[in-house]
Amino acid sequence: MALTDTECKKAQPKDKQYRLSDLNGLSLKIDPNGNKYWTIRFTVNGQRKSKALGQYPELGLKKAREMANELKYKFSPLNEIEELKPIFREVAEDWFNNQKETWSHKHILNVRASLDELYVSLGDKHINKITAPEILQTIKKIEARGSLEVAKRTLSRCGMVMKNAIAHGYRYDNPASDLVCTLKNKRVKNLASLSASEMPEFLRRVKAYPSDAQTHHAIILIMLTGVRVSELLQARWEEFDIEGRKWDIPEERMKNGLPHRVPLTDIIIEELHALRLTHNQELLFPHRLNNKEPMRSETILQVIKRSGYAGRMTTHGFRSLFSTVVNESNLFNPDAIERQLAHVPQNRIRSAYNRAQYWDDRVRLMEWYGEQVKGWLRQI
């Protein structure tokens, strides 16, 4: 894809050297110190060559193209010159840097991990020379480790890099597009969860288990709020507006990358007040060895297991319980339930998202569910 003067002028330095590709093997290299210079890549007698043409902006785009054309014509009668396309790493970094502004921090880290996997075998290969079998070989190595979901995500991101290459004219096909059918399917296993009728006995056993007060409060609050365990354990006191009866979870901690609001009912507020008496740290649930880090979810899971519920209940099971009990009541708007669970349609326009949508319905929903939990607790 041809460069423009504006693109050349606006190109900013990054942590590592990168290049912007033009026509006939010409590219503009940008160093971390901000220096920009033209190079051309070609092959002669089967050997790859690279030649520096001059520094930008002293050597402008128009003149650099003329020099590149002259070099191409010099070798064209011998049919020896081959315009070399960028390597996979360069195209991938271009795609990554163009997209990351719209991603959450967690997603950026996940994509970076996928690209690092691909760079091991494909990073220095020219984008137009990479074949489907080469990609599959790389993905199968990940699959062989038992990381089936990682393999699928890595293949998907390889496909996005190839689409970027097609958009820039580096190749005309996507060799990653039809490989998903060759991967193993992960066996879907529902996370263990108890029914409402089992909760009084479960809560009795958990209360009898000799763990610290914070862990007990964590179990009750996970059950009451219906949030994911990480969203609770990483929570900070500053996120809670007790007077306004709401808890605002910032977008960087949400799975969908959107801010979420949870109504605070009387029983939730009571638990928060009791929890606050146990410590004065910024986190709701600080780690006992490092109060700057949150409690690990494994701590809660161990209490569940040692209370006799190994394989029958998980930390995510509280969320499943919440969904089942509220949905089966047939008392509430299904859309309000989904919003309270922070389930947002993938095609939802991010800028139009309203974390307080169906708020009145959700307040009533949470108050009703809180009464169900009180009923379970009264039976222990």
Side-chain angles (χ1 to χ4, degrees), residues 151-343:
K152 286 185 177 180
R153 288 198 297 268
T154 304
L155 176 59
S156 174
R157 287 155 188 167
C158 182
M160 296 305 296
V161 174
M162 289 299 173
K163 287 181 179 179
N164 190 47
I166 293 171
H168 286 81
Y170 301 144
R171 63 181 302 144
Y172 301 100
D173 65 322
N174 184 347
S177 62
D178 295 324
L179 296 181
V180 68
C181 63
T182 67
L183 300 184
K184 296 177 182 178
N185 288 318
K186 183 177 181 180
R187 180 179 296 176
V188 177
K189 182 180 180 181
N190 293 327
L191 293 172
S193 176
L194 299 175
S195 64
S197 63
E198 296 174 290
M199 289 308 295
E201 176 62 16
F202 167 79
L203 292 170
R204 185 190 67 78
R205 293 193 189 185
V206 167
K207 184 177 181 180
Y209 184 80
S211 65
D212 62 89
Q214 287 186 48
T215 304
H216 281 295
H217 287 307
I219 291 172
I220 299 300
L221 284 170
I222 292 172
M223 179 173 56
L224 285 168
T225 58
V227 299
R228 297 175 180 87
V229 65
S230 63
E231 293 159 4
L232 177 70
L233 297 186
Q234 296 174 23
R236 296 179 174 275
W237 288 104
E238 63 190 23
E239 299 167 8
F240 291 81
D241 178 359
I242 302 297
E243 185 176 344
R245 298 174 71 89
K246 60 187 178 183
W247 168 26
D248 284 327
I249 308 176
E251 60 186 40
E252 59 266 22
R253 290 220 322 279
M254 294 299 299
K255 183 178 180 180
N256 59 22
L258 298 170
H260 184 54
R261 177 170 290 173
V262 179
L264 299 182
T265 61
D266 289 341
I267 188 172
I268 293 176
I269 292 173
E270 289 173 8
E271 283 295 320
L272 290 173
H273 284 319
L275 174 63
R276 198 54 170 141
L277 294 175
T278 66
H279 69 84
N280 62 352
Q281 304 300 326
E282 295 180 359
L283 288 163
L284 262 69
F285 298 99
H287 194 284
R288 63 184 182 85
L289 298 179
N290 181 359
N291 58 31
K292 301 300 182 183
E293 294 291 325
M295 175 194 296
R296 303 291 185 259
S297 60
E298 289 77 9
T299 302
I300 298 173
L301 189 59
Q302 286 302 314
V303 172
I304 294 172
K305 289 180 177 179
R306 291 170 183 172
S307 298
Y309 288 86
R312 296 176 57 198
M313 186 60 169
T314 63
T315 52
H316 190 83
F318 292 107
R319 189 168 161 83
S320 299
L321 171 72
F322 177 94
S323 177
T324 299
V325 171
V326 175
N327 274 291
E328 290 184 352
S329 73
N330 292 318
L331 295 174
F332 306 102
N333 180 345
D335 290 334
I337 298 173
E338 289 299 288
R339 185 52 48 83
Q340 190 53 49
L341 288 165
H343 290 162

